[in-house]
Amino acid sequence: MSAPSTKPTVSEREARQVAEAAREQDWRKPSFAKELFLGRFRLDLIHPHPLPSDEAVQRGEEFLAKLRDFCETKVDPGQIERDARIPDDVVDGLKEIGAFGMKIETKYGGLGLTQVYYNKALALVGSLSPAIGVLLSAHQSIGVPQPLKLFGTQEQKDAFLPRCARTDISAFLLTEPDVGSDPARLATSAVPDGDDYVLDGVKLWTTNGVVADLLVVMARVPRSEGHKGGITAFVVETNSPGITVENRNAFMGLRGIENGVTRFHQVRVPAANRIGPEGAGLKIALTTLNTGRLSLPASCVAAGKWCLKVAREWSAAREQWGKPVAQHEAVGSKISFIAATTFALEAVTDLASQMADEDRNDIRIEGALAKLYASEMAWLMADELVQIRGGRGFETADSLRARGERAVPAEQMLRDLRINRIFEGSTEIMHLLIAREAVDAHLTVAGDLIDPDKSLSDKAKAGAGAGVFYAKWLPRLVAGQGQVPLSYGEFRRDVDLSGHLRYVERHARKLARSTFYGMSRWQGRMETKQGFLGRVVDIGAELFAMSAACVRAELLRSNGDHGREAYQLADAFCRQSRLRVEELFGRLWSNTDDLDRTVVKGVMSGTYEWLEAGIVTLPDDAPWIAETAPGASTAENLHRTIG
């Protein structure tokens, strides 16, 4: 049997409904970030800073020592960059030390590391070779192990987790050539046939897919008698007949990753390999990403630490106008930014990771904020490092080595980090995702008021409920602990951080008021105000990072671990962050959003096409988006097995 060749056609409203149905609807546990967006600064949810158990620390530190030795003796990052491939013996070595089973429970042959130490391991290996970090992360954070841990049956765990822990590589396949962040248009089909499903379709950007042994595949099951249908998750063996890796993709950075295009043609998958019920695929994917996204901030922390080390050593050695460049304010401000931001990113990542380990809080917003904030700030830090290095920052490591200088791959770091602002949810999509969660309380009580499909009686009932909610909520946004001079006194040391926490409390209330004003002004059109929503989220991210930085500084002080220096870094970060917050608040209401929409209409209608004159472009008749009609592959299968 063959799958239909037509792609799903959905309206904007239908696409939003699919996305809404996939998100977790309830808040069963407290959330620091959710409360922050509601104007409630719940410092008690993150302070005192949660800590891992002694057993978790011992297990984690033992593996980090083993991984560090492996990286220092077995990995040549320059070779990976030159060959655009991680050598098979390196992958095999990682399997032998258990790196592919870091997050898998020991009873399945894994190491059973906590999220905190899993992230530390990814940061360690990623600081040497980001491509290896991606290999391990794609396998464990979003590949087969994580969704099976959360949603798999005992039989599935017994069958697949031991393989993932030691021998098999896994990948996650959701994106298609014409489907990115809009899964409602997913075209890959899974047609029930007896005790099997038959998969047809094409998946794009399949990280690890070129070398994977197991795949998590999202496919659409058609509705039929006995089948609810909908987007569904499956574990698929890559040696199944009908699977072809048609292309190994090449990118500006992360040259060593095994990312490709995978075609499924009449691929039979046992019903026993379905993860969860039919129609639960997107919810499984989003829930998996709640903690899976935390691996990306870990790599960004590693990048910040690397940038700081290079900036420090280079700026001490390089002299201009009679003194080291670090002593020139223009360069010094960049070094300060890198140092303070690295401290904050580590604070955010460790805090969110420990909260995930404890499972006391709902961290869907915290994890998303960590991914969003870290990917943006790491890119800025790497860009500043390239600027500090000058021409040498633009020069490749091999070129520097060839003429006798230290082979510092600053330009590679910039290229490798650029994708972080795109994958696992682009910055623009993360803004919308976080904004939806941030206004969830408002939509819960007042959503029916702006829903065109609701009846007058539903709207009246919603209006009454909203009146009760806002009568209690709005007065609480007027005053708080941020206006009490001596509040948060436990953060007052030689360097005083209490004022920054008072600032966070005041501006959390201001942010909540601004969000309410926006909803009152635009109502049902609020979802189209993506510029406004993005700034709301960015303010929340800064406030979250400031909170995490202060809490981490106090943790380090109480442990006698560079406490004074940590307070200095937290203070510097908060002062830098406050400047960004003030700018963002100003841009909530004073911006060029309306004018930008007018210009965009002109660009797309051809009004400004004359502006494109004076350049040379080579003719290319290829389509912007490749045709992906289902059918048998005519390409050579580029899949290869490691080990």
Side-chain angles (χ1 to χ4, degrees):
M1 65 173 49
S2 61
S5 61
T6 57
K7 298 174 183 174
T9 302
V10 295
S11 66
E12 180 180 3
R13 181 170 179 78
E14 288 171 332
R16 293 182 184 277
Q17 289 173 337
V18 169
E20 180 65 19
R23 62 176 290 274
E24 293 181 71
Q25 303 294 326
D26 301 320
W27 294 84
R28 293 178 292 274
K29 299 174 184 177
S31 165
F32 173 80
K34 175 176 179 285
E35 294 293 309
L36 195 68
F37 280 108
L38 285 171
R40 299 191 282 252
F41 181 44
R42 291 287 308 278
L43 185 62
D44 60 295
L45 292 178
I46 62 173
H47 174 68
H49 194 295
L51 293 171
S53 67
D54 291 341
E55 179 187 358
V57 171
Q58 180 179 352
R59 184 186 299 128
E61 291 295 337
E62 288 176 354
F63 177 71
L64 287 181
K66 185 183 298 185
L67 182 62
R68 177 180 291 274
D69 178 70
F70 179 86
C71 289
E72 291 175 346
T73 60
K74 304 296 184 182
V75 179
D76 179 356
Q79 179 188 357
I80 294 174
E81 179 69 5
R82 288 188 294 273
D83 297 345
R85 175 163 291 173
I86 302 170
D88 288 1
D89 64 323
V90 171
V91 178
D92 288 336
L94 290 167
K95 291 180 181 180
E96 289 174 10
I97 65 173
F100 282 85
M102 287 187 284
K103 287 192 71 179
I104 298 175
E105 294 177 83
T106 55
K107 65 182 179 181
Y108 298 112
L111 300 181
L113 299 188
T114 62
Q115 183 72 40
V116 168
Y117 273 96
Y118 170 66
N119 283 350
K120 289 181 183 295
L122 290 178
L124 180 66
V125 72
S127 66
L128 184 67
S129 171
I132 295 180
V134 171
L135 168 72
L136 297 175
S137 174
H139 166 70
Q140 294 170 85
S141 297
I142 57 176
V144 170
Q146 188 67 9
L148 284 194
K149 175 183 177 181
L150 297 174
F151 300 98
T153 65
Q154 190 59 54
E155 292 75 16
Q156 290 171 337
K157 294 176 182 178
D158 291 338
F160 298 118
L161 291 185
R163 293 169 55 182
C164 291
R166 290 290 175 179
T167 60
D168 289 14
I169 300 173
S170 70
F172 174 79
L173 277 60
L174 171 62
T175 304
E176 299 177 358
D178 200 24
V179 179
S181 299
D182 181 11
R185 300 175 61 248
L186 197 78
T188 297
S189 63
V191 179
D193 185 23
D195 293 332
D196 296 335
Y197 289 83
V198 180
L199 269 62
D200 282 276
V202 177
K203 295 294 184 178
L204 176 62
W205 296 325
T206 61
T207 301
N208 288 1
V210 178
V211 296
D213 306 285
L214 292 170
L215 310 171
V216 176
V217 180
M218 296 292 167
R220 184 183 300 278
V221 177
R223 184 187 297 272
S224 62
E225 184 177 351
H227 292 276
K228 175 185 176 182
I231 298 174
T232 306
F234 299 90
V235 178
V236 181
E237 302 268 6
T238 52
N239 61 4
S240 302
I243 298 180
T244 306
V245 176
E246 296 187 331
N247 193 63
R248 181 176 185 257
N249 302 324
F251 303 98
M252 67 180 283
L254 295 178
R255 288 171 49 79
I257 64 174
E258 300 285 354
N259 179 295
V261 176
T262 301
R263 178 178 292 271
F264 298 87
H265 175 61
Q266 299 287 284
V267 177
R268 302 192 74 85
V269 179
N273 285 21
R274 188 188 69 218
I275 308 175
E278 291 181 356
L282 284 184
K283 181 164 289 189
I284 289 172
L286 292 177
T287 304
T288 298
L289 283 171
N290 282 342
T291 53
R293 285 195 179 99
L294 290 175
S295 62
L296 194 149
S299 69
C300 293
V301 170
K305 290 173 179 285
W306 187 89
C307 289
L308 180 60
K309 185 176 190 298
V310 173
R312 174 177 57 82
E313 294 179 354
W314 163 251
S315 298
R318 175 64 164 169
E319 291 190 359
Q320 290 281 275
W321 297 300
K323 57 184 177 181
V325 294
Q327 295 180 24
H328 292 284
E329 192 171 273
V331 174
S333 64
K334 299 180 187 299
I335 297 174
S336 174
F337 167 74
I338 294 173
T341 304
T342 298
F343 178 83
L345 291 193
E346 188 166 38
V348 166
T349 303
D350 278 6
L351 177 61
S353 299
Q354 186 58 42
M355 291 166 72
D357 285 331
E358 289 192 337
D359 201 26
R360 285 191 298 115
N361 295 347
D362 187 324
I363 66 155
R364 73 182 85 163
I365 300 183
E366 286 84 349
L369 284 174
K371 187 274 176 189
L372 166 69
Y373 193 71
S375 62
E376 290 293 327
M377 300 306 278
W379 166 257
L380 292 177
M381 287 191 290
D383 187 55
E384 292 287 43
L385 175 65
V386 168
Q387 191 70 20
I388 291 171
R389 287 274 289 162
R392 291 171 174 85
F394 194 66
E395 192 172 358
T396 68
D398 282 348
S399 178
L400 289 164
R401 182 186 294 107
R403 58 185 187 78
E405 290 197 3
R406 189 170 300 187
V408 178
E411 59 83 29
Q412 181 191 335
M413 177 63 73
L414 194 64
R415 290 187 287 106
D416 287 344
L417 283 172
R418 185 59 182 85
I419 187 59
N420 290 350
R421 300 171 62 203
I422 298 173
F423 68 9
E424 291 190 27
S426 69
T427 291
E428 294 73 25
I429 292 300
M430 296 307 295
H431 276 149
L432 298 181
L433 184 153
I434 298 168
R436 170 61 186 87
E437 301 296 352
V439 301
D440 183 59
H442 301 284
L443 294 180
T444 298
V445 300
D448 287 354
L449 285 171
I450 58 177
D451 189 337
D453 293 338
K454 295 297 181 180
S455 64
L456 289 177
S457 61
D458 288 336
K459 291 179 183 293
K461 187 182 299 183
V468 173
F469 173 80
Y470 289 118
K472 295 180 179 179
W473 178 68
L474 286 171
R476 296 173 182 170
L477 301 182
V478 176
Q481 284 293 103
Q483 293 160 299
V484 179
L486 299 180
S487 58
Y488 311 114
E490 66 268 35
F491 290 86
R492 189 179 297 110
R493 308 294 172 183
D494 291 341
V495 175
D496 188 359
L497 298 182
S498 64
H500 297 312
L501 293 175
R502 290 194 294 273
Y503 180 93
V504 172
E505 195 279 336
R506 293 195 306 273
H507 286 77
R509 287 186 281 112
K510 181 178 180 180
L511 181 61
R513 293 194 301 268
S514 299
T515 304
F516 175 74
Y517 297 154
M519 293 186 66
S520 301
R521 176 177 176 179
W522 294 305
Q523 299 183 34
R525 294 184 294 122
M526 179 78 157
E527 64 184 18
T528 69
K529 302 298 180 180
Q530 295 180 3
F532 177 86
L533 292 173
R535 293 175 200 115
V536 165
V537 169
D538 286 341
I539 293 170
E542 294 284 1
L543 298 180
F544 176 42
M546 290 173 66
S547 305
C550 291
V551 169
R552 182 174 183 82
E554 176 57 19
L555 170 67
L556 295 179
R557 185 208 63 79
S558 65
N559 289 345
D561 189 8
H562 306 292
R564 180 180 176 83
E565 295 82 6
Y567 259 66
Q568 291 171 344
L569 288 169
D571 182 46
F573 172 77
C574 288
R575 292 180 185 277
Q576 294 169 9
S577 179
R578 286 167 71 156
L579 295 176
R580 295 189 292 267
V581 169
E582 295 301 324
E583 179 186 358
L584 286 164
F585 267 116
R587 290 175 56 210
L588 281 179
W589 311 109
S590 179
N591 51 65
T592 61
D593 292 350
D594 291 339
L595 177 59
D596 293 343
R597 281 190 286 272
T598 299
V599 172
V600 169
K601 289 180 181 178
V603 170
M604 300 311 295
S605 67
T607 301
Y608 308 131
E609 197 169 343
W610 52 268
L611 191 58
E612 301 167 14
I615 61 173
V616 176
T617 56
L618 298 179
D620 189 345
D621 296 330
W624 285 102
I625 300 172
E627 176 57 44
T628 57
S633 179
T634 59
E636 175 189 358
N637 188 4
L638 301 180
H639 179 266
R640 62 189 185 88
T641 302
I642 299 177

